[in-house]
Amino acid sequence: MQDQGNIPFSDRHIGPSVESAGEMLKTVGFSDLDALIARTVPSGIRQASPLDLGPGLSEAEVMTKARAVAAKNKVLISMIGQGYYDAFTPAVIQRNILENPAWYTAYTPYQPEISQGRLEALLNFQTMVADLTGLPIANASLLDEATAVAEAMAMARRISQKDSNVFFVDEDCHPQTISVVRTRAEPLGWKVVVGRIDADLDPKSVFGAVVQYPGTSGAIRDFRKLFVDLRATGAISIAAADPLALTLLASPGELGADIAVGSTQRFGIPLGFGGPHAAYLATLKSHERLLPGRLVGVTVDRHGRQATRLALQTREQHIRREKATSNICTAQVLLAIMASMYAVYYGPEGLKGIAQTVAKRTAVLAAGLKKIGRRLAHAEFFDTIAVESDGDHDAIIARALEQGINLRLYERRGKFFVGISCDETTSPATIEKLWRAFLTKDRKIPLYDALAAEASIAIPRTLERKSEFLTHPVFHQYRSETEMMRYLRRLADRDLALDRTMIPLGSCTMKLNAATEMIPLTWPEFGRLHPYVPEDQAAGYLEIIRELEMKLCQITGYDAFSFQPNSGAQGEYAGLLAIRAYHCSRGQSQRDVCLIPTSAHGTNPASAQMAGMKVVPVSCDHRGNVDLRDLETKTAAHADRLAAIMVTYPSTHGVFEAEIRKLCEIVHAHGGQVYLDGANLNAQVGLARPGDYGSDVSHLNLHKTFCIPHGGGGPGMGPIGVKAHLKPFLPGDPNAESSHAVSAAKFGSASILTISWIYIELMGGKGLTDATKAAILNANYIAKRLEKHYPLLFKGESGLVAHECLLDMRPFKTSAGISVEDVAKRLIDYGFHAPTMSFPVPGTLMIEPTESESKAELDRFCDAMISIREEIRAIEEGKSDRSDNPLVNAPHTAAELAEENWTHPYSRMTACFPVKSLLRGKYWSPVSRVDNAFGDRNLICACPPWEGQDDTQPAEVPRRKAG
């Protein structure tokens, strides 16, 4: 049965109609689509049989199936803790951010002029984190708390001048954190010591140490002396802190910590069986230029008006490559925005009120447990208590399950404890159920109200927070839903996302994120599961994961998948660790050389460095292919130490390399493994399988090929597929000893796996294959239309491109004084997000239209690019001023249009409405071109956002030195 007028979903997903595709094929020079594909995709890698995933389901059918699978998950009250807590998502945030394509279809804000809304929201996030932690500089989010601690450890090693390679982890840190830290340290040769601060830590012997605040057991401890002792020896102190607790507790900065990390999940973000959630990292100003990840800063535009941008972009790993200190490529932008707006909506009083309620109910719970004869491990706590076992812990856990509650059972030094964590959803009725679970026969259940009248919050007076936080007006202005809704709308209107226009970013695959794929994301059956619930409670999730693994194996030719990596860069890292472990298992631990073509994504060399490998570059030839002669030379030179090659296919130059099989054979012949970067899988699904033509492992960007939204720069998912011989070396359970975990949850950001699962169900094998063909057609159509106007840098041997193409802007610098940035910014005036700029070749634009764009939208983009070429030609011919023209002044704002004195030699109409179609619906950039250099010289990352300021006047931006 089909619905929606019997139109298959694939026809909704794929932009060009049959008729349009026919017209486009004529332009490209082919009679039919299969003929184009036969010429484009090398015959030597074409898969033997069609992709057999069954027919695509209708949207109604897939919703019925999703409901049935969701019902297999058991939604209990989870009081397991370990850094994960149930939370209420304010409806105004759920509807206007999480469910709003204006927010979730946006791209990473590399083009700041069209990203001012989400940049302001991220600036709010950074301000929130800096205030709560008492540290002046915070980044714009990390992937999860465990990986944030690992990043902090690496940052500590960079900061510390000590000769030590020892890192100390307090035993009261979350188990998943300890596991991920061990994984990160091992290939780098660092020793991790886990133990008690008072018995096992010698500050003189370590380069850094991390503590949990409050501890995973719930204990609240004063770390002032520890932090002083560490600093005295040159070691770096890290506090993994709960941001809700910090509304009541003295901040890490006040205690003397150098770095604070944590998760903002409990600020309105669903549990989601592990994610996605936004972690944070904050530090001292003296360390701001060593921060991993992204940092939003304040600057000015060319008219001196305040603007925001990604600051310190030289830290981006595609620039630093093998000298990178982190491979972070994505953040958790959408979730960081939600968390920041939770703080905006509630303000400091509201957050403190929530924290006080949680702390008070935990205190009442503890008082009741003591009243019925139970012993607590700690007298001081915030939201978590540890109950000592009398040998009946299994019975307690079982009775709690009967009451519909999940508790935590753990052992420490031979003694068992039952852990209970309260949160903002914990009710008095739940606490009474807990008392019943712990009750012995000769005791009565306490009366909640009576104990509530007597119990007091169990935070030590010496650690009570006295300092103010969230003092900026943005955290005080939006208490009513009306004002909050309007604030979110104003921010969204400043951005340019996929809901307005195509985003033709090469290598980033900004395709349709269909509404049907997104709907189950907010169902409680998927949203309210703790990542560490018993498996029988997650039967629906596990079914989705099994089906997704099976189908991805069919698509790629691999034998197994791990869904633990929660970003593409994490997938790279996990894949390389699997290769490293494989070599070690064969007694070849000396294999540590990773060959990487010069055209590779910048995260590739960064990931290799993190995996303990030495990067050796391999040249590319004039056609953009890996130079096989140079490859043979390098593999022979490093034969005894060759671990792997990392290759992107199709290449970042936008072509299918005909000799990919030979490349794999050369590497295998010298004992190496082939890591194939899956960023460009969108050109292969249904046509070619990496596992068939020689690859051993790939990560897949589910936020690209398989429709998880980019969310303004995250969430992402980067599961890795491997051939059978690498399966034993996939990441394990983060709660298990020696698991080689790479993120905090076994299945990473599990809740967004539902999106890719639904996409594949909707498309079926034929639909997925048709999508790949359409992506290749769309790219070649753009290339054909534009090659008469711009140099097309690379083509395959057939004279065609793959799913993306590179246009060379470098000649215009000489002929007209026009840079690639000028063209990118001028596209904003035409209502477009710029293509990928200056990657993989400086001075180029890399364009990937994806299969979701219609011929009409492709033509609109091509018309804009052709019009811009004519504007450049006018400069070349002297008809337009070389220093004052529409390109060098782009983008133009509404404020400029309204100025009384228009001083430019071109008209207002030329500036703002260069094509007539813009008169029907114009996107106005809220700022003129942003001054990046000013922002780096004057680094301000927690500055007042625009709201309430006069945007038409130059901003009062403090002129202070950075660093």
Side-chain angles (χ1 to χ4, degrees):
M1 180 190 76
Q2 285 286 346
D3 57 359
Q4 289 84 38
N6 294 319
I7 298 175
F9 174 79
S10 58
D11 287 0
R12 304 289 193 192
H13 176 82
I14 298 171
S17 65
V18 174
E19 294 78 11
S20 294
E23 295 171 13
M24 293 161 66
L25 283 163
K26 287 181 182 178
T27 300
V28 177
F30 289 86
S31 58
D32 62 74
L33 189 54
D34 287 337
L36 169 66
I37 299 304
R39 281 282 302 278
T40 306
V41 183
S43 59
I45 67 167
R46 289 291 299 272
Q47 61 192 63
S49 57
L51 188 57
D52 184 16
L53 297 178
L57 300 180
S58 72
E59 292 175 71
E61 289 169 335
V62 85
M63 282 294 98
T64 300
K65 181 173 182 177
R67 281 290 185 193
V69 173
K72 297 178 183 180
N73 291 330
K74 299 176 185 176
V75 183
L76 274 62
I77 297 169
S78 285
M79 306 184 78
I80 298 168
Q82 269 183 258
Y84 295 94
Y85 309 90
D86 205 355
F88 294 122
T89 304
V92 66
I93 292 175
Q94 177 173 317
R95 175 60 59 87
N96 292 287
I97 298 178
L98 182 59
E99 298 175 347
N100 184 350
W103 289 98
Y104 67 70
T105 69
Y107 181 60
T108 306
Y110 290 132
Q111 295 288 340
E113 295 84 0
I114 54 177
S115 309
Q116 291 296 297
R118 84 197 81 120
L119 284 168
E120 179 174 320
L122 290 174
L123 197 64
N124 292 345
F125 178 84
Q126 292 177 181
T127 303
M128 173 190 81
V129 170
D131 279 10
L132 289 172
T133 61
L135 291 164
I137 193 87
N139 67 12
S141 80
L142 294 172
L143 299 175
D144 61 32
E145 181 172 336
T147 57
V149 173
E151 292 291 342
M153 172 181 64
M155 182 178 168
R157 190 67 201 87
R158 298 195 294 277
I159 296 169
S160 177
Q161 300 300 309
K162 294 176 72 173
D163 198 24
S164 170
N165 273 333
V166 179
F167 184 73
F168 182 84
V169 182
D170 179 53
E171 68 176 7
D172 210 24
C173 288
H174 296 316
Q176 69 272 19
T177 295
I178 297 172
S179 179
V180 172
V181 165
R182 281 176 167 153
T183 299
R184 182 70 67 90
E186 191 271 333
L188 298 173
W190 301 341
K191 180 182 178 182
V192 175
V193 174
V194 180
R196 290 174 288 178
I197 292 169
D198 54 355
D200 305 309
L201 172 59
D202 176 10
K204 294 190 294 295
S205 69
V206 303
F207 69 81
V210 61
V211 295
Q212 197 83 42
Y213 181 63
T216 192
S217 68
I220 297 177
R221 295 166 291 166
D222 191 335
F223 297 115
R224 289 184 179 97
K225 183 179 183 305
L226 169 67
F227 294 161
V228 167
D229 291 346
L230 288 166
R231 185 168 292 175
T233 71
I236 305 302
S237 56
I238 303 165
D242 178 348
L244 189 64
L246 295 182
T247 65
L248 304 181
L249 288 171
S251 70
E254 293 172 282
L255 300 185
D258 296 300
I259 301 171
V261 298
S263 170
T264 61
Q265 176 267 315
R266 67 189 315 172
F267 278 22
I269 312 300
L271 286 163
F273 201 42
H277 307 135
Y280 71 82
L281 191 154
T283 191
L284 303 169
K285 283 201 62 59
S286 54
H287 307 325
E288 62 193 5
R289 292 178 183 268
L290 296 173
L291 272 174
R294 297 184 183 137
L295 190 65
V296 175
V298 178
T299 186
V300 294
D301 70 5
R302 69 185 184 90
H303 295 295
R305 300 187 181 102
Q306 184 176 301
T308 45
R309 59 182 275 275
L310 289 181
L312 300 180
Q313 293 198 27
T314 54
R315 290 181 300 108
E316 288 292 338
Q317 303 311 317
H318 66 259
I319 297 172
R320 300 183 69 170
R321 301 180 73 82
E322 66 270 15
K323 293 184 176 65
T325 51
S326 168
N327 70 341
I328 290 175
C329 184
T330 53
Q332 297 283 26
V333 171
L334 188 68
L335 297 313
I337 288 170
M338 289 177 65
S340 76
M341 293 306 169
Y342 184 90
V344 167
Y345 196 44
Y346 284 113
E349 300 86 0
L351 292 183
K352 191 170 183 178
I354 293 169
Q356 287 171 330
T357 299
V358 172
K360 180 64 179 287
R361 289 186 176 165
T362 309
V364 174
L365 169 62
L369 288 170
K370 287 190 283 189
K371 198 173 184 67
I372 61 178
R374 294 292 178 173
R375 296 184 305 277
L376 305 185
H378 312 293
E380 295 169 328
F381 47 81
F382 166 58
D383 65 354
T384 297
I385 56 176
V387 186
E388 296 181 11
S389 170
D390 291 329
D392 59 346
H393 44 268
D394 290 334
I396 292 169
I397 297 294
R399 288 197 295 268
L401 278 173
E402 290 173 1
Q403 299 283 335
I405 301 172
N406 290 313
L407 300 179
R408 177 185 176 192
L409 177 64
Y410 63 97
E411 182 183 4
R412 185 167 294 174
R413 294 188 298 279
K415 197 169 188 177
F416 283 96
F417 297 88
V418 177
I420 312 172
S421 294
C422 298
D423 55 52
E424 67 169 314
T425 72
T426 303
S427 67
T430 298
I431 290 173
E432 291 176 351
K433 289 180 180 180
L434 285 169
W435 288 333
R436 290 191 187 95
F438 280 89
L439 200 61
T440 54
K441 291 181 180 178
D442 59 341
R443 302 278 184 171
K444 291 185 178 180
I445 298 173
L447 296 175
Y448 182 91
D449 291 339
L451 285 180
E454 301 172 2
S456 58
I457 291 174
I459 289 177
R461 288 181 179 271
T462 56
L463 287 173
E464 287 180 355
R465 182 159 193 149
K466 301 293 195 300
S467 58
E468 293 185 315
F469 57 93
L470 304 187
T471 57
H472 189 272
V474 75
F475 299 106
H476 297 265
Q477 289 177 311
Y478 306 109
R479 292 294 176 272
S480 78
E481 183 168 332
T482 303
E483 286 301 315
M484 186 68 178
M485 174 181 65
R486 289 171 181 163
Y487 178 53
L488 295 176
R489 174 60 187 266
R490 285 197 295 275
L491 293 185
D493 283 349
R494 291 173 178 167
D495 284 6
L496 194 60
L498 202 68
D499 64 327
R500 290 178 184 259
T501 178
M502 72 180 289
I503 302 181
L505 287 153
S507 196
C508 287
T509 314
M510 296 293 295
K511 68 200 315 182
L512 172 70
N513 316 121
T516 298
E517 296 155 11
M518 299 294 294
I519 286 172
L521 194 64
T522 54
W523 293 350
E525 295 92 339
F526 291 123
R528 293 196 59 207
L529 262 65
H530 192 286
Y532 308 143
V533 297
E535 284 193 358
D536 68 294
Q537 294 180 28
Y541 262 121
L542 296 178
E543 181 176 324
I544 285 173
I545 290 166
R546 282 193 300 270
E547 285 191 12
L548 193 52
E549 178 179 23
M550 178 191 69
K551 292 183 177 182
L552 290 178
C553 283
Q554 288 181 263
I555 289 168
T556 61
Y558 292 120
D559 299 307
F561 269 84
S562 167
F563 292 92
Q564 193 172 123
N566 47 12
S567 78
Q570 285 288 89
E572 292 177 11
Y573 174 61
L576 291 174
L577 288 183
I579 289 172
R580 184 175 185 273
Y582 168 74
H583 287 312
C584 289
S585 74
R586 293 159 55 86
Q588 297 183 344
S589 58
Q590 85 283 358
R591 290 192 176 273
D592 63 352
V593 168
C594 185
L595 304 178
I596 300 182
T598 55
S599 63
H601 291 104
T603 52
N604 288 179
S607 297
Q609 184 272 333
M610 285 172 53
M613 296 182 182
K614 296 174 174 58
V615 175
V616 173
V618 179
S619 301
C620 292
D621 63 23
H622 69 283
R623 304 189 70 169
N625 301 315
V626 175
D627 187 332
L628 293 188
R629 286 180 297 179
D630 189 46
L631 176 65
E632 288 177 328
T633 300
K634 298 288 174 59
T635 52
H638 299 283
D640 292 339
R641 292 181 56 194
L642 181 62
I645 188 171
M646 297 185 80
V647 60
T648 301
Y649 197 77
S651 76
T652 52
H653 290 139
V655 297
F656 282 99
E657 300 183 44
E659 299 296 331
I660 185 65
R661 275 189 183 272
K662 186 175 180 181
L663 179 150
C664 296
E665 290 167 359
I666 292 170
V667 173
H668 286 149
H670 291 85
Q673 296 283 286
V674 175
Y675 181 98
L676 190 135
D677 188 317
N680 291 342
L681 193 71
N682 207 49
Q684 297 182 75
V685 176
L687 303 179
R689 308 197 315 166
D692 290 347
Y693 55 77
S695 175
D696 299 290
V697 55
S698 291
H699 83 272
L700 308 186
N701 294 96
L702 298 188
H703 50 289
K704 295 181 181 179
T705 302
F706 295 98
C707 289
I708 290 175
H710 284 64
M717 276 291 278
I720 53 171
V722 296
K723 298 299 283 185
H725 64 282
L726 293 179
K727 182 178 179 180
F729 310 104
L730 291 173
D733 187 341
N735 284 300
E737 288 289 329
S738 303
S739 67
H740 303 294
V742 296
S743 69
K746 186 175 181 180
F747 301 108
S749 297
S751 67
I752 56 177
L753 293 176
T754 57
I755 299 168
S756 297
W757 174 72
I758 290 173
Y759 170 65
I760 294 173
E761 290 287 324
L762 287 167
M763 296 291 282
K766 184 179 184 302
L768 290 172
T769 306
D770 288 346
T772 306
K773 294 176 179 179
I776 293 172
L777 171 61
N778 283 2
N780 278 282
Y781 179 71
I782 283 182
K784 193 68 175 180
R785 278 208 63 191
L786 295 183
E787 68 178 352
K788 299 173 186 176
H789 307 276
Y790 298 91
L792 189 62
L793 203 54
F794 299 111
K795 296 180 182 180
E797 291 183 0
S798 62
L800 299 165
V801 300
H803 64 310
E804 58 193 5
C805 59
L806 267 75
L807 299 183
D808 193 355
M809 303 291 133
R810 292 172 295 183
F812 306 133
K813 190 66 179 174
T814 302
S815 67
I818 295 300
S819 69
V820 65
E821 184 179 27
D822 294 329
V823 176
K825 302 309 181 187
R826 181 58 171 156
L827 272 169
I828 297 172
D829 287 331
Y830 285 81
F832 284 103
H833 193 297
T836 301
M837 193 170 67
S838 291
F839 176 80
V841 179
T844 63
L845 291 178
M846 181 162 59
I847 301 168
E848 180 183 355
T850 85
E851 71 274 13
S852 295
E853 300 302 337
S854 67
K855 180 178 181 295
E857 186 70 354
L858 300 179
D859 284 334
R860 192 171 75 89
F861 174 76
C862 290
D863 291 345
M865 288 295 295
I866 293 168
S867 177
I868 289 172
R869 180 63 184 95
E870 292 308 307
E871 292 175 347
I872 296 172
R873 197 181 316 281
I875 301 170
E876 293 169 331
E877 295 174 353
K879 299 175 182 177
S880 184
D881 191 282
R882 195 176 178 94
S883 60
D884 188 2
N885 58 68
L887 283 98
V888 298
N889 293 327
H892 299 81
T893 66
E896 290 178 82
L897 184 71
E899 287 176 355
E900 289 186 15
N901 296 317
W902 181 264
T903 60
H904 303 297
Y906 54 93
S907 70
R908 287 180 167 91
M909 183 65 75
T910 297
C912 300
F913 298 98
V915 291
K916 290 183 179 179
S917 60
L918 292 169
L919 294 169
R920 296 195 300 269
K922 164 81 175 176
Y923 167 77
W924 291 97
S925 175
V927 295
S928 300
R929 194 174 307 190
V930 163
D931 188 334
N932 289 317
F934 179 90
D936 278 350
R937 291 194 306 270
N938 303 275
L939 188 60
I940 304 165
C941 300
C943 192
W946 287 6
E947 199 59 34
Q949 297 184 17
D950 182 357
D951 291 353
T952 65
Q953 298 300 318
E956 291 295 327
V957 179
R959 267 57 169 177
R960 65 170 180 80
K961 294 292 183 182

